[in-house]
Amino acid sequence: MQYITQTGQAIEQVFDDLAQLRIRVFRDFPYLYEGSVAYEKEYLKTYTQAERSFLFAVYDQDRMIGATTCIPLENEMPEVREPFEQAGMDVSRIFYFGESILLPEYRGHGLGHRFFDEREAHAQSYGTFEMTCFCSVVRPEDHPARPADYRPHDVFWKKRGYHQEPALQSKMEWPDLGETESTAKSMIYWIKPIPPTSKSV
C-alpha cells in the first residue's frame, strides 16, 4: 500500500482518481449516488481553493482504493455552513470532514480509523479549531434499497468520540441511482470537540 497526503491546490493532482472512487463507493446504500466525473470535479474545486484543505489517500499499486478529505468549515459550500451559522456557532473554529471512502474489499483492516486520525491531526495542528464535524444522509428504515445486512456506522463514529446533533441538519441534492434529476436529501451532523493545543497558525 502507498499513502499520500495533499493540501490545497495540490489536491487537484488526484482529481480523476478521487472522482472515480467517490462515484464507486457512493453508489451503495445509503447514498445511492448516480454520479458523474464532471460533477465531481466541479465539487472538488472547493478543496483546491482552500489553503488548509487536506487529502489523505491510499493506493494499491496505481489504483486509489481509499481516501478522505477535510476542510475548514468556513471554506465549505453555503448549505454545509448554514446550520452552524443559524445555530450561532463560529464556523472559523470548526473543521469539516468530507468523504471517508474505501472500496469494500479493503475494509476491516483499520483504515477507517486511520482516516479519522489523519484528519483530526490535521485540524488540530493549526491550534485554532475547537470542533470537527461531518454529516451523514438520513434514509428511512424501510427504504426499498436498504440491504438486509446493512449496518450503519453509528457505533464506529461514537467510538471515535462523535455524537449526532439533531439541531444541525441541512439539505443536499443529488440524483439517486437510475434517476436523472437531483432530489433533496436530509443530512444530519455529527460533532466532536478537539483538545486545544499551544501551536498557532
Side-chain angles (χ1 to χ4, degrees):
M1 296 292 181
Q2 177 186 2
Y3 305 99
I4 70 162
T5 60
Q6 300 284 14
T7 58
Q9 184 66 41
I11 295 174
E12 191 170 5
Q13 297 173 15
V14 295
F15 263 14
D16 287 323
D17 291 345
L18 182 56
Q20 293 288 356
L21 182 63
R22 279 173 51 89
I23 291 170
R24 165 62 186 87
V25 174
F26 285 140
R27 286 181 64 85
D28 294 339
F29 188 86
Y31 287 91
L32 304 174
Y33 171 55
E34 186 72 79
S36 70
V37 172
Y39 174 85
E40 286 296 313
K41 288 186 175 182
E42 186 62 30
Y43 163 74
L44 291 170
K45 284 182 181 178
T46 301
Y47 285 81
T48 65
Q49 295 166 355
E51 182 180 347
R52 293 178 292 182
S53 63
F54 174 79
L55 164 88
F56 177 79
V58 186
Y59 281 81
D60 186 349
Q61 297 184 28
D62 61 352
R63 181 191 188 197
M64 182 186 286
I65 58 92
T68 193
T69 61
C70 61
I71 188 172
L73 183 58
E74 63 184 344
N75 298 133
E76 253 294 353
M77 300 179 294
E79 58 264 39
V80 180
R81 301 193 311 266
E82 184 176 21
F84 295 87
E85 293 169 340
Q86 290 181 343
M89 302 171 76
D90 185 354
V91 297
S92 71
R93 299 288 185 176
I94 303 171
F95 228 94
Y96 176 73
F97 289 178
E99 65 278 289
S100 184
I101 49 179
L102 187 63
L103 292 177
E105 59 267 34
Y106 293 90
R107 296 171 189 170
H109 301 287
L111 284 171
H113 280 292
R114 178 73 181 272
F115 288 164
F116 271 93
D117 290 343
E118 293 287 341
R119 292 183 298 184
E120 289 172 357
H122 179 75
Q124 190 176 13
S125 70
Y126 293 102
T128 59
F129 294 94
E130 300 172 350
M131 180 186 297
T132 56
C133 69
F134 62 88
C135 65
S136 61
V137 65
V138 179
R139 295 284 194 181
E141 291 288 330
D142 61 351
H143 192 284
R146 183 187 179 98
D149 61 350
Y150 173 72
R151 291 190 304 168
H153 297 299
D154 298 30
V155 172
F156 171 68
W157 294 333
K158 289 175 182 177
K159 286 181 178 178
R160 293 291 317 190
Y162 289 82
H163 71 271
Q164 191 179 96
E165 184 50 71
L168 299 173
Q169 297 193 39
S170 61
K171 298 285 187 181
M172 295 186 188
E173 295 189 357
W174 66 82
D176 278 351
L177 290 178
E179 298 179 355
T180 55
E181 297 295 327
S182 294
T183 54
K185 315 294 192 300
S186 294
M187 311 294 292
I188 192 165
Y189 289 81
W190 294 69
I191 63 175
K192 175 185 176 180
I194 56 177
T197 175
S198 60
K199 185 175 180 178
S200 59
V201 177

